[in-house]
Amino acid sequence: MAFSRLLIALVLSILSLQVVARALGRQPHELIKPYKRAALQDIVTWDQYSMSVHGKRIFFYSGEVHPFRLPVPGLYLDIFQKIKALGYTGVSFYIDWALLEGQQGTFTAEGVFALEPFFDAASQAGLYLLARPGPYINAETSGGGFPGWLQRTEEIYRTPAYVKYTDNYASNVGAILAKAQITNGGPIILLQIENEYSDALNGITFPNKNAGIVIPFLNNDIAPEGWFTPGNITGSVDIYGHDDYPMGFNCMVPSTWPVNSLPSNFRELHDLESPTTPFAIIENQGGSSDAWGGPGYGTCAAWFNEEAERVIYKNDFILGTAIINMYMTYGGTNWGNLGFPGIYTSYDYGAVIAEDRTIFREKYSEAKLDANFVMASGDVYLTAVPTESAVNGTMVSTDSLAVAPLKSGSTGFYVVRHSDYTSQESTKYRLTVPTSQGNIDIPQLSSTLTLNGRDSKIHVTDYNVGGTNMLYSSAEIFTWKAYDSYKVLILYGGPGETHEAAFATASNGKILEGSGVTIKPTSGSLQLNWAVTSGRKVIQIGTELFVYLLERYTNRDDAYNYWVLDLPSPSPVNNFHDPSNTAVIVQADYLLHTATIQGSTLALIGDINATTAIEVVGYPSSVTGVSFNQFGPSTAKNSWGVLGGLATYTAPTISLPVFTDLVWKVIDSLPEARPDYDDSNWVNADHTKSTNPFPFVTPTSLYGSDYGFNTGNLVYRGHFTANGNEDNAGTFSVSCTGGLAFGFSVWLDDTFLGSWAGDALIESNQQTLTLPALTAGQKVNLTVLVDTMGFEEAAPIGSNAMKTPRGIMNYGLSGHANTDVTWKITGNLGGEEYVDKTRGPLNEGGLYAERNGYHLPNPPSGPWEESKPFDSLFGAGVYFYTTSFDLNIPAGYDVPLSFEFERTAADASATQNYRCQLYVHGYQFGKFINNIGPQYSFPVPEGVLNYSGVNYIALSLWSLSSAGSAVESLQLISTATIQSGFETVALSPQPTWIARPGAY
Ligand code: GAL
C-alpha cells in the first residue's frame, strides 16, 4: 500500500519520467498514464458538477487566510467564525516554506508557526481547508516562500533539478498535513500542488513523500490554459482549477475599472479542457495588494468594493462554479520582514475582513448575501449548467444589459448585468424568461425593473422554496429555510428598486408588517409587487410561508443584518456545513459567531458595537427562548412567532498610553560608525565564488545570502589604508540593491558620507560620495547600512528572479584598486542559524540593537540615556528607543489597536528621510518609511500586545539625512470597541531578552 501510494502520488505530482525514475531508483520503462487515479478514500468525492463530502454535495466556498500573517493562534477562531458567518464552507491557506526551513535541513513548525492550532480552529468553526503548501507560493512573500539559502543553489527553480531541495520541507510538512486530513478526523479536504504551475517544465513537487495524503489534489492554473487537466499526457491533478483576477491590481482610482475584463469564455474552456471535474476558481479576486507609495488599502477596498463583488461573483456563479476561493478574505500583516519588495507591512488586501479583524466594510456584508444565495440553492445550484453564454439584449428588453442563464432541472437562474460591466448607468428593463407556466414577462404588475450602475442580479424561475414553487422572482434570494411547521424566505433588493415575485398555486397572502406591497392572485400564481424601501415588509403566504422583503442596506433592519447560522450536526460532520441540517436565521448587528440549542434556548454568541435588537426569524420548534452572549434568555415573541430580545451594549472605559508621556530609553544602534568599534567577530566577506547566476563584479562576493544573511538590514564594514591618492574631491562610489523602496547610508569612520533615501519605484541605486581628507597610512573603516525589502518572487516558472542579490553590487574608491578594500558583513545574528526561534528566521535584521536582541521584552535599558523619538533631532544615524506601558482592556471587549504615525508624514511632500521599525514584544510589526508611505497606521493584534499587563515596545529610527529626524507623532489608537462573546485570546509566546553569547 505504501509503495502504491507513493507511486500514484509521484505520478500525480507531475514529475517528469526522469524524476519519477530517480525517485523509484530505476529507469523508466513505460509511460505511466496518469488519468484519474483510483479513489484513495471515499469521504471527499467529486463529479463534473461539484465535490461531495460524506456523500452530500457541497459548494467549497472558501476564503483565503494565511496563518503566517497572523502570529496569534488564539485569534484564528475569530477569523474563521467571521468567515463561517459569511456562509462560506471553507478556507484556503498557504504555508510559507521560508519561515519553516530558514536553515537548510532544519524544519521547524512550532509556536506561532505551528499549523495544528489553525486546523483545530477550523474544525471548531466548521470550515473545511484547502492546503496550499507550495513549496512555491508567490503570495507577495519574500522569495515567494523560498528560503534565502535557496539563492545559493545553481539549479533553475521549479524545474526537476531543483526538486531535491524541497524534499525535507515536503516530507515534514506533508506529515503534518496528512494527520489533519478529513480521513483522520481533521478539516483538510483538498491539497493544491505548487502554485500557478502553468508550464511543462515538470518541476512540480508537493509534500507527499510517504506522508499518506489521500485527499484530492488540485492545481491553480494561472488562467484557464488547461495545464495538468485529467487525461493530460504530462500528468494530471484530480480536480483542475485556475485563478482569476479580472480587475488586475491597480487600485489608484477607486472608480476606474478596467474595460472588457470580465471573463466570458471560461465555461466553454472548462468544458473543453476538464469536463469531468467541477468548475473551480482556486483564487478569485477579493481585493488587491498595494505597493510602496501606493494609494493605501482604504482605496483598494473602495475599488474592489461591494459593487465589484456583485458583478464579478455573480458572473462566477453563472459559470456553474462549485469550488471558489476568495483571495484574500483576511489578509493580515507582513510582520517580521516576510513580504517581498512589492508590498509594505500591511497585507490588508482591501479584503472583506480588514487587517484589524473588523468587518465594517460593506463588501463583507455583500459577500454574505452572495454566498448565502448559492448555499440556500443547494444541489439545484450545484448541478446547474449554463445553457448559453451571456448575450447582450437576449431575454431582456435592452442590449445595454446581458443576461446569462443557468438551468438545473426546471429551475432557471438568470444573471443580469450591464453589457459593459463598468457602466454606471441606471437602466430600465423587462425580462422575458421561460417558466413552467410558459414564457413570462417580468414584471407583470409594474412597467420595468431597474439595474443601477455597477450591479448584477440573479433572477430565478421555478425555484423550490421547501415545497413551494416560486414561479419567479426579480428580487434576489438571501436565503430560505424550512422548519417543522413553517418556512422562511428572505428576498432583497437595492434602494428604490421595484421588484416582483410570484408563487405558483398560492392564492392568498397577507401583509404582516410594512406596507406598499401589491398582492394579486392570478390564474396560476400569487404575485407580489413592491417598491423597495427601508424598513422590512413581511408577507404570509398561505399558512406556512413567511416572506421577508428587505432593502439591501440602509437601516439596521435590512438584509445586511441577517445571518444564517448552522446548528451543529451529528458526528462526523459536527460544526462543518451540513446541507441537510437545520440552520437558524437571525437578525442582529454587528456579527453573530455561533448558534447552538441548549435545552429549549437558542444560545447565540456574537459581537455588538451598539445596543441591538436580536430577532430570530427562523428556528426549530424545540426553541422557546433566545440568549445572546449568555444574557437572557428572552422568550418574547411577536404576533407571527419571531423570537426576540435586546442585546445591550455598554461602553467600556479604555485608557491607552500617551507615548509622548512615557519614559523612553535610547541607544545608538550604529556603533559601527564610531572610531573604537571592533568588528573582529564579523563574518569576512571573502567568497571569491558564488553560485548566484547574477555574477558579482567585486573582488569578493558582497551578496548577503552568500553569507547566510537573508532578511532586513545588512551592514558592511570596508577596511582600507589611505594612500594619499584619495584627495581632491576623491569619492567612494557604491551601488546597492535592496528591492523597491530600499535605502542605504554610508559612513567613513564617524563621518556621514550620504544616503540613498529610497523611491517606491527604484530597486537599485548608485551613490558617488565625496571623501573627507585622508592621511596616507591612515586605517579607514567604511560602514554601509542597506535596508533590504525581501527577495523577489520566483514566478514565472523557470525564472531565477528570486536570486536577485541583496547588498553591495559594486563600488569604487578614488586612488585605489577595489582589491585594496577588504569587507566584512553582517545581517541578523547567526544568519541562517538565527537566534530567535520563537519569532522565526526573518523577523530580525542586522541592526546593532537587533543583533543584541534589544527589540525583545525587558531589554537591559537601565543604563541607557533617556530620550524620546519625538523630541531629538540627531544627525544621520540609527537610534533605538524602547519603552513599556500597561494595558488593561476589560474582558469581554474586542478592541483592535493600531500604532499610528503622523498622518501627514507619509505625504510625498514629507522632507524628513527616515525609516522606523516598530517592535512589539520583539515581533517586528511595522516598517514605516516617512518619505515614501503610504502606510502610517500599523495594526498590532491582541496576543502580540498583552491586553492585561505590561507591554514592551521598541522603535528603530534610521535617519538618512545629516539634518537628522524625529518621529513627528506616534499614537496608540483603537479602531473599534466591540463587546464580544469571543473567548479570551491567549498570548503568543513572548520570551524576554537574555544576553546573547557572541553578539556584536
Ligand atoms: C496569484 C498568486 C498568489 C498571489 C496573487 C496576487 O497569481 O497565485 O500567490 O500572488 O496572485 O495577490
Side-chain angles (χ1 to χ4, degrees):
M1 178 59 198
F3 177 77
S4 67
R5 175 74 205 108
L6 176 64
L7 178 65
I8 292 161
L10 281 167
V11 169
L12 285 163
S13 75
I14 317 167
L15 297 170
S16 69
L17 281 178
Q18 288 72 19
V19 175
V20 172
R22 192 185 61 226
L24 297 179
R26 60 185 168 83
Q27 290 301 308
H29 59 273
E30 60 176 336
L31 189 69
I32 301 165
K33 289 240 168 53
Y35 186 68
K36 187 170 174 178
R37 62 182 173 155
L40 298 169
Q41 45 76 40
D42 59 5
I43 300 177
V44 186
T45 55
W46 68 96
D47 61 13
Q48 73 270 37
Y49 297 117
S50 75
M51 291 170 52
S52 295
V53 180
H54 295 300
K56 291 178 192 160
R57 282 194 188 281
I58 193 154
F59 193 146
F60 184 73
Y61 202 116
S62 157
E64 180 84 9
V65 178
H66 299 153
F68 56 87
R69 282 180 159 127
L70 179 61
V72 184
L75 282 172
Y76 293 155
L77 184 62
D78 175 60
I79 300 296
F80 286 156
Q81 288 181 333
K82 284 169 178 159
I83 293 175
K84 174 84 172 174
L86 287 168
Y88 291 13
T89 54
V91 156
S92 158
F93 67 103
Y94 278 134
I95 303 173
D96 189 342
W97 177 18
L99 295 170
L100 304 187
E101 197 182 353
Q103 183 179 12
Q104 188 176 9
T106 306
F107 175 93
T108 159
E110 277 159 31
V112 299
F113 302 108
L115 293 161
E116 291 81 1
F118 193 75
F119 304 155
D120 292 347
S123 293
Q124 192 177 337
L127 289 167
Y128 291 121
L129 294 179
L130 158 59
R132 308 203 297 155
Y136 184 70
I137 58 169
N138 212 63
E140 291 73 75
T141 52
S142 178
F146 281 172
W149 53 262
L150 215 58
Q151 275 217 338
R152 295 194 301 276
T153 58
E154 269 168 308
E155 293 78 0
I156 297 174
Y157 295 145
R158 309 171 79 189
T159 61
Y162 122 105
V163 167
K164 61 183 182 233
Y165 296 110
T166 69
D167 284 351
N168 184 42
Y169 168 71
S171 56
N172 279 291
V173 90
I176 293 171
L177 295 175
K179 279 193 211 120
Q181 293 176 103
I182 192 169
T183 47
N184 294 326
I188 304 178
I189 61 167
L190 291 166
L191 184 129
Q192 178 190 296
I193 295 167
E194 244 272 0
N195 192 72
E196 294 187 335
Y197 203 93
S198 304
D199 208 307
L201 286 174
N202 296 343
I204 284 195
T205 183
F206 65 97
N208 76 291
K209 304 281 170 172
N210 285 323
I213 289 179
V214 293
I215 48 167
F217 296 121
L218 50 76
N219 65 336
N220 67 333
D221 208 349
I222 195 162
E225 295 177 3
W227 291 100
F228 311 117
T229 52
N232 198 303
I233 194 73
T234 51
S236 83
V237 290
D238 296 313
I239 299 177
Y240 170 77
H242 61 79
D243 292 349
D244 188 31
Y245 290 86
M247 298 261 287
F249 301 96
N250 181 356
C251 43
M252 279 320 252
V253 184
S255 59
T256 303
W257 286 11
V259 293
N260 292 329
S261 274
L262 205 60
S264 60
N265 61 349
F266 278 9
R267 185 71 208 196
E268 284 139 19
L269 290 171
H270 176 83
D271 290 345
L272 283 173
E273 291 168 352
S274 194
T276 59
T277 61
F279 189 85
I281 306 180
I282 309 304
E283 287 177 33
N284 195 44
Q285 186 152 16
S288 175
S289 59
D290 190 34
W292 291 106
Y297 282 112
T299 310
C300 292
W303 171 75
F304 198 95
N305 62 357
E306 61 284 353
E307 295 174 329
E309 291 181 321
R310 273 173 212 136
V311 175
I312 290 167
Y313 297 170
K314 288 172 189 174
N315 193 63
D316 295 328
F317 298 156
I318 213 64
L319 302 167
T321 307
I323 295 176
I324 199 165
N325 173 43
M326 308 306 181
Y327 190 105
M328 296 298 294
T329 292
Y330 172 72
T333 307
N334 296 307
W335 66 279
N337 302 308
L338 73 80
F340 93 128
I343 50 170
Y344 43 89
T345 304
S346 176
Y347 197 65
D348 176 279
Y349 218 83
V352 296
I353 305 173
E355 184 185 11
D356 66 0
R357 298 179 294 104
T358 57
I359 52 167
F360 291 115
R361 290 177 180 156
E362 189 174 337
K363 61 189 292 190
Y364 177 89
S365 303
E366 177 61 37
K368 181 173 58 165
L369 299 187
D370 299 340
N372 272 287
F373 163 68
V374 280
M375 290 300 150
S377 303
D379 285 5
V380 180
Y381 170 77
L382 284 176
T383 51
V385 284
T387 47
E388 50 194 283
S389 312
V391 182
N392 303 348
T394 303
M395 293 180 284
V396 71
S397 54
T398 163
D399 60 12
S400 296
L401 300 182
V403 179
L406 193 71
K407 290 284 279 187
S408 178
S410 54
T411 303
F413 302 95
Y414 300 90
V415 179
V416 176
R417 62 166 169 83
H418 276 109
S419 310
D420 166 7
Y421 85 110
T422 69
S423 168
Q424 314 233 35
E425 298 296 305
S426 180
T427 305
K428 301 221 173 299
Y429 65 103
R430 294 178 63 76
L431 189 73
T432 309
V433 284
T435 73
S436 55
Q437 297 184 7
N439 275 359
I440 298 188
D441 255 14
I442 304 170
Q444 299 260 298
L445 304 181
S446 52
S447 54
T448 52
L449 304 169
T450 314
L451 190 75
N452 285 313
R454 290 170 173 176
D455 195 1
S456 174
K457 294 193 177 298
I458 305 187
H459 305 313
V460 298
T461 56
D462 288 297
Y463 185 97
N464 183 354
V465 183
T468 300
N469 182 21
M470 182 158 66
L471 187 61
Y472 63 84
S473 174
S474 70
E476 291 187 274
I477 299 167
F478 169 56
T479 193
W480 66 268
K481 294 286 166 222
Y483 301 97
D484 358 33
S485 58
Y486 67 101
K487 296 176 286 205
V488 174
L489 167 66
I490 298 187
L491 302 175
Y492 67 93
E497 294 168 1
T498 294
H499 282 291
E500 192 169 286
F503 297 85
T505 69
S507 57
N508 63 75
K510 62 175 178 197
I511 301 179
L512 299 176
E513 185 178 303
S515 59
V517 186
T518 305
I519 303 179
K520 187 179 174 210
T522 64
S523 55
S525 69
L526 184 75
Q527 295 170 338
L528 311 184
N529 185 290
W530 68 99
V532 177
T533 53
S534 81
R536 72 183 178 194
K537 310 169 198 306
V538 184
I539 315 295
Q540 183 177 357
I541 295 180
T543 53
E544 285 195 341
L545 179 60
F546 295 83
V547 185
Y548 288 70
L549 308 176
L550 304 180
E551 186 171 58
R552 189 166 56 210
Y553 174 64
T554 299
N555 289 316
R556 56 160 301 284
D557 56 346
D558 57 30
Y560 283 169
N561 286 324
Y562 281 71
W563 307 85
V564 180
L565 299 165
D566 283 345
L567 292 168
S569 284
S571 187
V573 176
N574 302 321
N575 292 341
F576 296 102
H577 181 62
D578 180 348
S580 51
N581 193 24
T582 328
V584 291
I585 308 173
V586 187
Q587 188 201 167
D589 193 15
Y590 139 103
L591 165 73
L592 289 179
H593 298 162
T594 57
T596 50
I597 295 177
Q598 294 170 5
S600 58
T601 299
L602 179 71
L604 299 172
I605 303 292
D607 290 358
I608 51 174
N609 62 347
T611 294
T612 183
I614 309 275
E615 281 192 305
V616 188
V617 304
Y619 56 92
S621 61
S622 61
V623 169
T624 57
V626 56
S627 69
F628 178 79
N629 292 353
Q630 267 116 55
F631 291 108
S634 163
T635 53
K637 280 188 185 165
N638 78 359
S639 59
W640 67 94
V642 166
L643 196 55
L646 198 66
T648 311
Y649 176 82
T650 315
T653 308
I654 291 179
S655 89
L656 297 176
V658 176
F659 288 143
T660 46
D661 292 351
L662 299 180
V663 174
W664 292 77
K665 292 299 194 77
V666 70
I667 193 168
D668 178 2
S669 189
L670 197 78
E672 293 87 350
R674 280 197 233 120
D676 56 348
Y677 185 75
D678 174 10
D679 62 19
S680 52
N681 286 334
W682 287 39
V683 172
N684 293 319
D686 57 2
H687 294 189
T688 52
K689 288 202 177 71
S690 171
T691 50
N692 194 301
F694 299 88
F696 63 88
V697 296
T698 44
T700 57
S701 166
L702 298 177
Y703 298 169
S705 71
D706 275 347
Y707 303 93
F709 300 120
N710 302 317
T711 181
N713 295 156
L714 297 175
V715 196
Y716 294 85
R717 299 270 291 163
H719 301 289
F720 67 94
T721 306
N723 57 14
N725 298 331
E726 303 88 357
D727 239 332
N728 262 340
T731 57
F732 174 61
S733 150
V734 60
S735 135
C736 298
T737 295
L740 297 174
F742 90 113
F744 63 90
S745 294
V746 184
W747 286 262
L748 185 145
D749 293 331
D750 53 1
T751 305
F752 173 60
L753 296 189
S755 291
W756 166 245
D759 183 301
L761 301 176
I762 292 181
E763 50 196 20
S764 304
N765 177 270
Q766 180 181 327
Q767 292 288 309
T768 300
L769 306 165
T770 307
L771 296 171
L774 299 172
T775 317
Q778 181 186 341
K779 299 248 183 269
V780 179
N781 301 315
L782 289 163
T783 299
V784 183
L785 173 61
V786 187
D787 194 13
T788 72
M789 316 304 277
F791 291 122
E792 304 302 329
E793 294 179 312
I797 288 118
S799 156
N800 260 337
M802 187 264 167
K803 290 181 182 164
T804 307
R806 296 289 177 243
I808 296 179
M809 299 296 106
N810 203 356
Y811 62 92
L813 182 64
S814 294
H816 287 268
N818 274 358
T819 45
D820 287 355
V821 188
T822 55
W823 289 95
K824 296 203 163 211
I825 181 172
T826 194
N828 66 303
L829 187 69
E832 285 159 19
E833 290 173 39
Y834 56 101
V835 181
D836 186 356
K837 302 294 186 234
T838 303
R839 300 168 187 85
L842 300 183
N843 182 61
E844 63 187 52
L847 289 180
Y848 166 77
E850 291 177 302
R851 300 190 314 254
N852 284 279
Y854 296 155
H855 55 299
L856 302 176
N858 203 16
S861 56
W864 302 0
E865 263 175 56
E866 239 181 67
S867 171
K868 297 180 184 169
F870 318 104
D871 50 22
S872 320
L873 271 169
F874 295 91
V878 185
Y879 298 92
F880 192 82
Y881 299 85
T882 68
T883 191
S884 64
F885 55 88
D886 283 341
L887 283 177
N888 191 8
I889 310 280
Y893 288 89
D894 185 1
V895 184
L897 297 176
S898 282
F899 288 76
E900 192 162 296
F901 288 83
E902 176 67 40
R903 190 175 286 251
T904 54
D907 287 356
S909 59
T911 48
Q912 290 194 50
N913 295 324
Y914 70 84
R915 296 170 179 238
C916 284
Q917 291 178 160
L918 168 72
Y919 309 81
V920 180
H921 286 138
Y923 293 85
Q924 195 255 75
F925 249 86
K927 190 154 175 153
F928 172 65
I929 307 185
N930 182 61
N931 48 312
I932 296 180
Q935 190 179 2
Y936 57 86
S937 190
F938 295 83
V940 178
E942 179 177 0
V944 169
L945 278 166
N946 181 355
Y947 273 28
S948 48
V950 63
N951 286 274
Y952 290 94
I953 65 167
L955 196 67
S956 61
L957 171 59
W958 170 2
S959 166
L960 290 95
S961 320
S962 50
S965 314
V967 170
E968 281 134 275
S969 154
L970 180 67
Q971 286 178 289
L972 191 61
I973 55 153
S974 62
T975 47
T977 305
I978 291 161
Q979 191 173 314
S980 174
F982 192 71
E983 59 198 45
T984 310
V985 178
L987 281 184
S988 291
Q990 302 179 341
T992 53
W993 179 84
I994 45 170
R996 293 183 165 184
Y1000 47 84

